[in-house]
Amino acid sequence: MTCATTPAILRLSNPSSSTKQFDRVMRRWRWLMPDSRRMNAFDRYNFLLPLIGYLMRNPETTLSAVASHFGVDEVFVREALTTLMSTATYKDFDRTYYMFDVEKLDDEGIISVWQGDVIEDAPRLSARQASALAAGLSIMSTLPEFSSEHEIAELLEILSEGTTESGPAAIHYRPGPIDSDVAVIRKAMLNNHRIECVYRNIRGETSTRQIDPLRLDTRGNIWFLRGYCLIHKELRNFRLDHMGSAVELEVEICDEAKKIQDIDDAEYQSSETDITVTVEVDPEAYSMLGDFSAQIIKEDRKSNVITASIKIGYLPYLGKVIAHYGGAARVLEPASARQVVRNYALTALGLEPEGLPEQD
């Protein structure tokens, strides 16, 4: 792994204090750690950051202690140590910043830090890095299991006290609120267990579902669970604000869920019974194309207007989707879809909706 250095334009005003607060928060983070067998490249990189901090404070420790501290297996820790020993910078390729006693590690399972020059300095962050940290901490503070953690507020205050050369460092981002069900879901994900919950779909129908949870995401101010639906036998998105009474089942997720490697970031997952709708969108509504995994039909390079097709499983839902973009998205066909959007607008204006034409 090769890491580029970033110009240090922010210094934390009290490095020792921030290290203590960081350690407290990371002890809680350990519980949120995804299964190492299912970690992607970003998860593995993010694991290296707290690992460096841990080894800085514990230069002589055991492999089993590190694995236990972070809730991962020893093989995964060994792989991370190998990565650290090959870390360099663009400016200094021939220098190794992290060295460990390999014989002690192999023979006795002891991690002994020989060299760690780069982690001895006080933390220095760019404005972008500090903003990313502040945004992440803000999101953590909205989670039920962190709602009473004063250490997060103290860390945010420490970040805001840093001096920068390019404007304020901290950008606070807060997605919509979620309830305690998310703690149940996350625990089930860590245990590779199935969940059961009461769920209300976009038609307003309520049913009890069993879902194999795979990932939690936010889109705007809405939280989603990406999970394998046992009813439809495929990957689906479930809104957390439509979910209730979640419980973890002592049942391992199915083999089909385990085989899912790449999860589409699209908000809506299409199926064979969906209706194809042709839309025209301005740049302000481009995000809709990603949300619905749109197929581009044509693009006007002068006006930047894109014509594309999207899949809709429940046509009455389309009116709300199009209205969200305030005129930047328009339905071209079929006629039934255009009428749904028109009726939605009429209802919003307090007028009587019109009859729907025959679906084509």
Side-chain angles (χ1 to χ4, degrees), residues 170-185:
I171 296 176
H172 296 268
Y173 170 73
R174 289 182 177 271
I178 51 178
D179 56 29
S180 58
D181 282 344
V182 74
V184 175
I185 295 170

Side-chain angles (χ1 to χ4, degrees), residues 301-316:
R301 297 192 179 278
K302 291 184 178 180
S303 63
N304 293 321
V305 172
I306 293 178
T307 303
S309 64
I310 62 174
K311 296 283 189 177
I312 294 289
Y314 182 55
L315 204 55

Side-chain angles (χ1 to χ4, degrees), residues 142-174:
T142 67
L143 303 179
E145 59 267 45
F146 288 99
S147 59
S148 61
E149 294 291 326
H150 66 276
E151 286 89 358
I152 293 180
E154 292 179 14
L155 276 172
L156 287 169
E157 185 177 353
I158 290 170
L159 283 171
S160 66
E161 289 175 354
T163 56
T164 70
E165 297 174 1
S166 57
I171 296 176
H172 296 268
Y173 170 73
R174 289 182 177 271

Side-chain angles (χ1 to χ4, degrees), residues 134-146:
L137 289 169
S138 296
I139 292 175
M140 286 178 66
S141 67
T142 67
L143 303 179
E145 59 267 45
F146 288 99

Side-chain angles (χ1 to χ4, degrees), residues 185-202:
I185 295 170
R186 188 178 289 109
K187 186 171 182 290
M189 290 169 61
L190 295 174
N191 294 331
N192 277 340
H193 282 172
R194 184 169 297 167
I195 67 165
E196 185 175 88
C197 67
V198 176
Y199 190 74
R200 185 183 76 255
N201 64 19
I202 58 175

Side-chain angles (χ1 to χ4, degrees), residues 52 56 98 113-123:
I52 291 171
M56 180 172 65
Y98 306 99
V113 180
W114 273 2
Q115 178 178 315
D117 297 340
V118 76
I119 61 178
E120 292 178 353
D121 297 332

